[in-house]
Amino acid sequence: MSTLVPPLFAGLVDDASLLPPSPTGVAEAVAKHDEHRAGWFAGLLGPLLVPASLIGADLIARDVPVALVGDVSVGALPIAVDKLRAAGGLVMHIEAAVARRGEDPQPGLAALRALAEGDENLVVYAEIPLSWGLLGALDTVTEARAAGLRMAPKFRVGGLAAELFPTPVELAAVLCACRDRELPFRLAAGLRHAIRHTDPETGFTHHGFLNVLTAAISAHDGGEVAEVAEVLAATHPVPLVEACRARRSEPRPLFTGFGAVGVVEPLTELVRLGLINGGFE
């Protein structure tokens, strides 16, 4: 087996094959994830994302790295974590929403902070809406990290309505805000392809995961919001590929990963762009 995934892309793609609206069953998803873990591109993979509501539904963990996605109450999450660990699952982190758009995120953050305080081995990603209260929420997460808790933000950058897709300037401001607070972040929804594009069926313009990665590099290197936004808005792959190729041997800054229903799809695009050398040795 080959290790052909450069450090810049290590663990970039979480396996979201169990998340709605995917029709994949638990046994099938776990078996497929095991198969991917045995492949030459295993280094690209993050954990298998498992809805907390599925815990107990004959989930066969068998040392599979998993992340729990909180579709149940925060109070029920520790029970789900315990069940996963008892089944032999390697719980890498939890992801849970703290509020709906327009709601105060602080009560939800307080609940997740309590969860992190109760389990020092657990990494907790707080899904914060890209709306009112965002910067205050990031300050709260920063304070929790300063207190030694393993918390970080997660953001949705797409959905079923146009307003759920932040503009390049809006997302750049978020990346720079995370950079200023030294916060790693995860993303969900909307990242269907490597390069920014418009879906011909919906008319929604999606962010590209390679745009985000390159923008995170730009922000990490001190780029201002306008510079980072320019990277996020790019639709030609060449400058993005060149920027990432120059940093392939370095750890990825800020952007810890995103979920994909089919993990082979982002892999295929990275191979096509010449950033990962596909094959066996």
Side-chain angles (χ1 to χ4, degrees):
M1 185 172 66
S2 174
T3 54
L4 299 177
V5 177
L8 184 66
F9 305 107
L12 175 64
V13 184
D14 296 338
D15 184 346
S17 58
L18 275 175
L19 300 187
S22 171
T24 305
V26 173
E28 179 185 353
V30 172
K32 199 66 177 178
H33 191 80
D34 277 343
E35 181 181 320
H36 292 329
R37 287 274 169 196
W40 65 266
F41 57 92
L44 180 69
L45 299 182
L48 174 66
L49 301 179
V50 181
S53 60
L54 287 182
I55 303 306
D58 298 323
L59 180 67
I60 305 172
R62 299 194 323 275
D63 297 325
V64 173
V66 297
L68 205 62
V69 179
D71 60 346
V72 297
S73 68
V74 172
L77 289 175
I79 298 172
V81 171
D82 289 343
K83 286 183 177 179
L84 264 176
R85 287 173 173 164
L90 306 176
V91 183
M92 309 303 291
H93 67 260
I94 278 184
E95 304 177 10
V98 299
R100 295 185 177 90
R101 286 174 64 88
E103 293 181 345
D104 183 0
Q106 294 298 335
L109 284 169
L112 285 186
R113 175 168 181 150
L115 179 62
E117 288 174 337
D119 189 339
E120 62 182 16
N121 295 317
L122 196 61
V123 180
V124 177
Y125 281 90
E127 184 182 310
I128 303 170
L130 297 178
S131 60
W132 177 81
L134 171 62
L135 294 182
L138 294 182
D139 288 338
T140 297
V141 174
T142 303
E143 292 166 3
R145 291 173 66 86
L149 300 180
R150 304 177 73 187
M151 288 186 67
K154 171 190 170 184
F155 310 107
R156 288 190 172 272
V157 294
L160 299 178
E163 62 267 22
L164 300 179
F165 292 79
T167 67
V169 171
E170 290 169 341
L171 186 54
V174 173
L175 267 58
C176 289
C178 289
R179 181 269 318 277
D180 294 342
R181 294 164 175 79
E182 299 182 353
L183 293 175
F185 64 87
R186 305 189 86 80
L187 296 182
L191 298 173
R192 293 184 178 177
H193 295 291
I195 309 299
R196 182 174 176 83
H197 67 284
T198 299
D199 187 318
E201 294 185 4
T202 64
F204 299 155
T205 299
H206 291 248
H207 291 283
F209 66 81
L210 197 65
N211 293 76
V212 174
L213 174 51
T214 310
I217 292 172
S218 175
H220 179 264
D221 290 350
E224 299 296 335
V225 170
E227 297 171 276
V228 177
E230 185 177 353
V231 175
L232 289 169
T235 56
H236 198 288
V238 171
L240 303 176
V241 169
E242 289 179 348
C244 287
R245 182 174 287 123
R247 304 288 279 266
R248 276 196 303 186
S249 62
E250 302 177 17
R252 184 171 61 256
L254 295 174
F255 182 26
T256 58
F258 71 100
V261 172
V263 299
V264 174
E265 294 173 0
L267 168 68
T268 301
E269 295 199 23
L270 289 170
V271 170
R272 179 175 55 81
L273 292 169
L275 291 170
I276 291 181
N277 300 318
F280 292 88
E281 288 182 347

